[in-house]
Amino acid sequence: MRLSSALAVLLLSLPSFATAERLQVRLATLEWPPYVGASLTGQGYAAQVIRTACERRGVDVTFDLMPWARALMLGLRGDVAGVMPEYRNAQREAEFAFSAPFPGGPVGLYKRHGDAIAYAVDPGRDLDAALRSVARHRIGIVRDYINNTTFDRADYLDREEAANDSVNLRKLAHGRVDLVFVDRWVAEYLLQNDPLLRDAKIEMLQPPIEEPALHVAWSRQSEAAAAARPLCDEGFAELQREGTIDRLRERHGLAPKN
């Protein structure tokens, strides 16, 4: 039956309630404040950056917090769309498809105040030589973390694994290791918020090793990840242009205090 012209005009003038279906993705992550945390504002800086970037392009992201080893396993299998936040390196690139970068924080080695430990060479000029100059010291690392390519390949280092950064920093404070590899903002957050670390006298060995970018490591086994990745990358670029990421860094305490 043909609609009358008046009725057709009326129908065309009514608002449409049909909207494009948004893509839903699930990312696995860990408690790593101030970057990610269940009790943090927006679930942390990294979670807020990723969520905001992806939402700009019609991708809704939820975060499942769990041990990092389990997050990696689920991402490799495609049971989640990816894992975050991650540093880029050859090992992970063989396993995951990486997002566009967004800023992280300085990483390096922490020591106890007063300990006579120093690099013989600026790590920015020759990281291998700098690491060799501290190789006699025991260094705490977190199990299954990517740290820095040169550091991770340095088989001459005496490394000792722990479950997380809190445990490592406590071991450092109590003299069970001599150095700890950790992100500056993670260390500062824990020193302020972990009751067992509030009296710890530790500091980063200067200068930092590097300031690596953070990424979403998208699963290569997930169709949702393949669809979401280019959309979210567009969102990251937009946030960078607007200065939104810089504002989020400041809001979450990840910007240096002048």
Side-chain angles (χ1 to χ4, degrees), residues 117-123 125-126 129-134:
I117 303 175
Y119 296 122
V121 179
D122 184 336
R125 291 193 292 108
D126 189 338
L131 292 174
R132 288 182 184 278
S133 71
V134 297

Side-chain angles (χ1 to χ4, degrees), residues 90-247:
Q91 175 189 337
R92 291 284 191 260
E93 283 190 287
E95 301 167 337
F96 294 93
F98 274 69
S99 75
F102 60 97
V107 299
L109 297 175
Y110 268 68
K111 69 181 184 73
R112 289 178 295 276
H113 283 302
D115 282 3
I117 303 175
Y119 296 122
V121 179
D122 184 336
R125 291 193 292 108
D126 189 338
L127 180 54
D128 180 70
L131 292 174
R132 288 182 184 278
S133 71
V134 297
R136 67 184 182 278
H137 300 289
R138 293 167 301 161
I139 303 175
I141 61 171
V142 178
R143 189 176 302 113
D144 296 314
Y145 276 19
I146 294 294
N147 299 296
N148 164 277
T149 299
T150 301
F151 178 88
D152 289 339
R153 290 177 177 171
D155 57 6
Y156 51 81
L157 294 176
D158 181 9
R159 285 179 283 242
E160 186 172 315
E161 292 185 341
N164 55 51
D165 291 303
S166 290
V167 173
N168 261 339
L169 292 175
R170 292 172 196 166
K171 289 169 66 177
L172 176 62
H174 290 91
R176 293 169 54 196
V177 294
D178 305 311
L179 297 165
V180 163
F181 192 104
V182 65
D183 175 284
R184 172 184 172 182
W185 305 123
V186 173
E188 290 200 2
Y189 180 92
L190 293 171
L191 288 170
Q192 294 172 15
N193 293 277
D194 186 333
L196 299 178
L197 287 170
R198 285 179 185 161
D199 296 325
K201 305 299 182 185
I202 60 177
E203 62 187 356
M204 181 178 274
L205 196 59
Q206 295 298 322
I209 287 175
E210 64 171 334
E211 190 164 344
L214 299 175
H215 302 262
V216 179
W218 295 102
S219 175
R220 295 188 183 277
Q221 309 303 319
S222 166
E223 292 182 4
R229 180 186 173 199
L231 297 172
C232 294
D233 280 355
E234 291 176 8
F236 286 130
E238 185 173 313
L239 296 189
Q240 290 277 23
R241 288 194 301 270
E242 295 174 350
T244 300
I245 290 181
D246 289 338
R247 290 191 291 274

Side-chain angles (χ1 to χ4, degrees), residues 41-96:
T41 301
Q43 293 181 283
Y45 160 75
Q48 198 161 10
V49 168
I50 293 165
R51 184 188 299 109
T52 304
C54 293
E55 284 179 349
R56 294 284 185 95
R57 292 298 184 270
V59 180
D60 294 328
V61 182
T62 57
F63 301 99
D64 290 349
L65 279 76
M66 62 188 71
W68 188 237
R70 176 169 172 75
L72 292 171
M73 179 187 69
L74 294 181
L76 286 169
R77 293 195 320 212
D79 294 341
V80 294
V83 300
M84 61 71 75
E86 183 60 285
Y87 299 142
R88 193 166 198 154
N89 82 340
Q91 175 189 337
R92 291 284 191 260
E93 283 190 287
E95 301 167 337
F96 294 93

